[in-house]
Amino acid sequence: MKISALMTSAGINIGICVLLWSLYSVLRKQPAFVRVYFGRRIAEENRLLREAFILERFVPSTGWIVKALQCTEEELLAAAGLDAVAFNRMLVFSIRIFSLAAILCLFGILPVHYFGRKMHRLEISSEQLHMFTVGNVEVQSRWLWVHSIVLYIISGVACFLLYVEYGHIARLRLLHLKRATLNPGQFTVLVRGIPKTENESCSSDVDDFFTKYHASSYLFHQVVYKAGKVQKIMTGAKKACGMSDPSTDTTLDQRCKAVTYPCCLCGASSDSFQLLPTDEVAKNIDKKECAAAFVFFKTRYGALVASEALQTSNPTKWVTDLAPEPDDVYWSNIWLPYKQLWIRRIATVLGSLVFLVLFVVPVAFIQGLSQLDQLQKKLPFLDGLLKKPYMSQIITGYLPSVILLLFLYTVSPIMILFSTMEGPTSHSERKKSACSKVLHFYIWNVFFVSLASGAVINQLNPSSSTKDIAVRLARVIPEQTTFFITYVLTSGWASLSSELMQLFGLIYNFIIKYVLRMKEDIAFVPTFPYHTEIPKVMLFGLLGFSCSVLAPLILPFLLVYFFLGYVVYRNQLLNVYRMRYDSGGLYWPIVHNTVIFSLVLTQDLIDLDREDQRSGRMEHIHHGLRSAYRQFPDNEDIKLEQILTVGNDEDQDEGCSSGERNGEETCKEQEPEGICVTQL
């Protein structure tokens, strides 16, 4: 690839970035898009922009950049949680280490590469990119010691900075666990694999077991009921019927009518849902317990001991883990049989591997596009088109990375689906699992497969000896790193601009308001997609470490990406995304082992319990545990003990709300006076 092709790709992406950033600075001021760009702030602060015409609203500005940079870490922690701070520290770490790498490599290694061979020099724009890589250095050159020294310096400083950042995040996590706000998960253990007995209920078994083996710390428990889609319909029933006063216990009017919305495209009306009376659908509902329960303890230390200890000799029965935060619970997987989980995990691993292998085909095809000579040989009918300078520059410098980016958009949804099938019991655990899968996918397909395909394959033949293979790979790999520079431009710079613009949110907002003419859902505010953005940042870090010495030209483009990401992500976390739950910084970093910190933490939990007991807060904490893990959070408003879905969902689970008294679960059957149920 020539420098001119790289400059073409850079120019296109810079133009896209400038256009989208300018549009964003204008659209964010418009009242019509306020919920797209300030969803979190509106949901939490109930702020709206003025509808009056102001000329300043239509002029691009940079004030939002200044606000994002001026935001302190404490303000970010209060607004978006410790996960957001950990993600922000990833960007800070990357900026620091690659700033040093850029200084050392651009001024120390790049001249060694360019003047590595005695040859006729062309204009910079006409030079091939491999002239600036280690592939242009002569074999056994006396200047290779420079590469070694720079590599050792970068590695040593990276380890030091990583140690400093780990200590910083560890301190923040300890403060997170010591926070004044009650975290019921510290007192709660999720028990699965409860064995069934013939004569007693699951609730009685749980009470007998923990009274016998954890009598000193056991408080009470709450059995989980199988609800399935019924739980979603119950939540939708309340929203559909407009229950706004939670203090009333009145039943809904049986004479509910279908709600229709006009469509501006055809003028017709559409029945989005129909409200039906309860007595027609709620007849054959049974209370159905599943082999899972939340068990509450008097102290944090008691819950920790119960969660870490092996309860029986059979590891598939009475399985205990610390419960996630109430808002973090993924109810759909709580009632999955524990013995089924290992089958699900094997199936998802196999599915991920198959998807990993199948994705090699488009990556190899994309690598072929980046090599003009190979493309001309395989597709001779394109000779006339490829001889045009601007077309060859676009095809080799811009098109491959764009096609790869489009293919990569399918990765995150598939990986989040695989992670959900594994059976995680919390949203954060599901996203962390998806994050690891996406990261491994990127490292394999974007990095290793890109290196191994294309020119590398073409350079090898059956007659090559082992020595020849090593020499040819050493020559080809530096040339392939130039593809990663264009990938940083497209997948880095352009994707950040797309994230800032919230293109999907704009389209959704337009369809809802102007096509369907529906009222906006005020309660809907998206959460930050850590499982897609963390792998992307870590992949660029991998490219920086692996290519900084081989192809130093990648470092300026990476630095620009990390600086832009620092501004964009802080703005999005402060204004757009809400914090529904917080894993407490466990995303930092995924590759680190958290066992060491867990051991240190276990000494601190005893002190926290003693402090709460001395201050008299423990009784208040115990009282708060009773309402923390509500499987049906809206059951104060509507009597939904008995409900049956309508339609083809004949196999779905049935359920009822639950309450606990004196350590036992009770679920009284009541005939509901009336419920409006949605029929999709």
Side-chain angles (χ1 to χ4, degrees), residues 221 249 303 343 646:
H221 71 276
D249 192 24
I343 302 177
V646 183

Side-chain angles (χ1 to χ4, degrees), residues 115-131:
F115 297 102
R117 296 177 185 270
K118 295 181 179 180
M119 56 178 15
H120 176 68
R121 307 293 173 186
L122 304 174
E123 294 182 2
I124 295 297
S125 60
S126 301
E127 292 281 16
Q128 296 288 337
L129 277 178
H130 73 83
M131 295 291 294

Side-chain angles (χ1 to χ4, degrees), residues 73-111:
E73 188 174 89
E74 289 74 18
E75 293 173 342
L76 184 63
L77 179 64
L82 187 52
D83 288 337
V85 173
F87 180 72
N88 183 71
R89 298 307 299 183
M90 291 182 186
L91 297 171
V92 172
F93 168 80
S94 301
I95 291 174
R96 289 176 175 175
I97 187 59
F98 292 120
S99 297
L100 173 65
I103 295 174
L104 295 176
C105 294
L106 292 178
F107 295 99
I109 292 182
L110 191 62

Side-chain angles (χ1 to χ4, degrees), residues 415 419 422 429-443 530-532 534-535 538 587 589-591:
M415 293 306 178
S419 298
E422 284 182 345
E429 183 183 356
R430 180 174 67 116
K431 285 197 172 183
K432 281 187 289 184
S433 177
C435 183
S436 298
K437 291 182 175 64
V438 175
L439 177 60
H440 290 122
F441 183 92
Y442 282 175
I443 292 175
Y530 290 104
H531 64 292
T532 63
I534 289 179
M538 298 185 72
Y587 284 106
I590 293 179
V591 296

